[in-house]
Every structure is written in structure tokens, then in C-alpha cells.
Amino acid sequence: MACRTSFLKAILIILNVLLSLIGVTLIALSVFELNSSSPGTFEHIAIVVQIFVGSFVVLSSFLGCFAAGRVSLGLIWSFVSCMLLLIGLQIYIIAAAHSTDYVQRARTDFLALWTDQRRSIERIAYLEHKYSCCGQNGPQDYILQGGAYPLSCYKNRERVQSQLFGEGCLVAVEEHSTDNVMNGLIIKWLLLVVELLALISATHLGVTVRNKLRRERF
């Protein structure tokens, strides 16, 4: 019985360390993407939700490690409750991610920025510099509007023709959104698998500790 308890404790601690690492990774990636999203857009809201989930995962992993270390029945069942809540939230998020067209959302958000260029000029310049792109469909968009290429359309912001970005930002934004969706789904599925394993391990540990306490009473 002691060997089984020690084994379950070790497994639970390992899984919680892995959970914390995934949670920190999710937070770091979300914070990085937060800087490139427009406030109020669908992408911005989704990133904020990811930061909340990542924070909850990290806090839950600390609780799991503490519960395993102390072998406290109350802490173990508290951790199990947290895992059930997280698993339910993860299933909902994954289902929503598979049913949502993030590429179309990103396309719509960029077109809204391009339509109102006067108010969104700084935002468009940021995207052009970040994705090495120029205009909506290419540099010619600025010429068609009777203007000149902005500095954000040049590499290193130097007006040298050879350093002019040739790709349009609409395509760049869609490609970036596609990569984000794939990376996000991989992390979400990995997180769900680890959460399920942690739930199973914690439940077994809780049952083992409870049965041990019952035997000690008689």
C-alpha cells in the first residue's frame, strides 16, 4: 500500500510539473499574440481567455503538487474538482475552436482596419512591419489611393526599392492565423490529455488514502 501511494504521488507530481510548463507556455504565447491583436476583436477575446485558462492551469498544478506532497485528502479532492472544471472548459474551448473559422475572423478584422485607415494607420503600420507586408493586397494599393509607400512597407524602415515588401497584408494575416490555429489546437489537446491523466492519478491517490484512513480506524 505504501509503495502504491508513493508511486501515485510521484506520478501526480510529474504530471503537475508538466501541467505548469504547458500553462506557462500557453500564457507566454498568448501574451505575445496579445500585442499583435486589436482590442475588441474576436482574436483579442480568445487570447484573453487563453491567458485565464493558462493561469488557472498553473495555479491548479501548484495545488496538485502540494496535495501530493502532503497526502491531504481534502487537498486531493480539491485538485480533482479543479481538474474536472478545467477538463470541461477545455472540451468546450476545443469544440469552439474546431467550429470557428479563425482565418475568416482574422480576414474580417483586417478588412475593417483597412476600410478605416485614418483611425487604424498605426495598427496597419504595426502589422506591415511585423508580417513584412504592404497594403491590403500589395504595395500597389497605396499607389491606387494616390499616396506613397509608408515606411512600414520597407525592411528596416528605409526607403530602398529593393527592400519594399511585395506581399499584401491580407494574405500574411490569414497565413499567420492558420499557423496560430494549428499551434493552439496542439497545445489545447496536449493540455487536455495531461489533465485527464492528472485527474485519474489524483482520483486513484484519493481513493487509496481514503481506504487507508478507514482501515486505520478499525
Side-chain angles (χ1 to χ4, degrees):
M1 184 63 66
C3 292
R4 181 182 179 182
T5 302
S6 299
F7 175 76
L8 290 173
K9 283 173 57 178
I11 292 296
L12 188 57
I13 290 174
I14 292 173
L15 289 172
N16 276 288
V17 170
L18 186 57
L19 268 178
S20 65
L21 292 176
I22 297 174
V24 169
T25 302
L26 183 61
I27 293 172
L29 292 176
S30 299
V31 170
F32 177 76
E33 291 300 325
L34 189 65
N35 296 326
S36 63
S37 63
S38 301
T41 61
F42 181 83
E43 181 186 11
H44 185 85
I45 296 172
I47 292 173
V48 172
V49 172
Q50 286 183 172
I51 294 175
F52 169 76
V53 172
S55 301
F56 193 43
V57 167
V58 173
L59 293 175
S60 297
S61 67
F62 290 157
L63 174 62
C65 288
F66 193 59
R70 293 288 301 274
V71 196
S72 169
L73 196 57
L75 291 176
I76 291 173
W77 292 133
S78 296
F79 175 73
V80 169
S81 300
C82 289
M83 286 297 100
L84 287 172
L85 181 61
L86 272 174
I87 290 171
L89 184 59
Q90 278 295 108
I91 292 174
Y92 174 78
I93 291 175
I94 291 174
H98 280 287
S99 62
T100 302
D101 190 346
Y102 285 96
V103 176
Q104 182 60 41
R105 294 272 189 172
R107 177 187 178 88
T108 301
D109 291 339
F110 178 79
L111 290 177
L113 291 176
W114 187 257
T115 301
D116 192 8
Q117 292 184 48
R118 290 186 178 181
R119 294 184 179 181
S120 310
I121 185 171
E122 292 183 0
R123 186 68 192 160
I124 293 174
Y126 174 80
L127 293 174
E128 288 175 333
H129 179 69
K130 179 181 180 181
Y131 299 138
S132 300
C133 59
C134 183
Q136 176 180 319
N137 299 306
Q140 69 276 5
D141 290 335
Y142 288 106
I143 302 301
L144 294 175
Q145 292 176 352
Y149 303 137
L151 286 175
S152 55
C153 280
Y154 293 91
K155 185 178 180 180
N156 300 324
R157 296 183 181 272
E158 298 178 355
R159 291 189 183 278
V160 179
Q161 186 63 30
S162 61
Q163 295 186 353
L164 178 66
F165 299 136
E167 183 182 37
C169 288
L170 185 59
V171 174
V173 167
E174 290 176 345
E175 292 176 349
H176 176 73
S177 179
T178 301
D179 293 339
N180 279 351
V181 170
M182 292 302 299
N183 294 334
L185 284 175
I186 290 173
I187 293 176
K188 290 179 179 67
W189 276 108
L190 177 61
L191 183 58
L192 179 61
V193 171
V194 177
E195 286 170 352
L196 286 170
L197 292 175
L199 173 64
I200 294 172
S201 299
T203 302
H204 276 291
L205 179 60
V207 172
T208 301
V209 173
R210 184 191 61 187
N211 292 338
K212 179 182 178 182
L213 292 176
R214 284 180 176 176
R215 282 192 298 270
E216 289 177 352
R217 292 175 184 174
F218 299 99

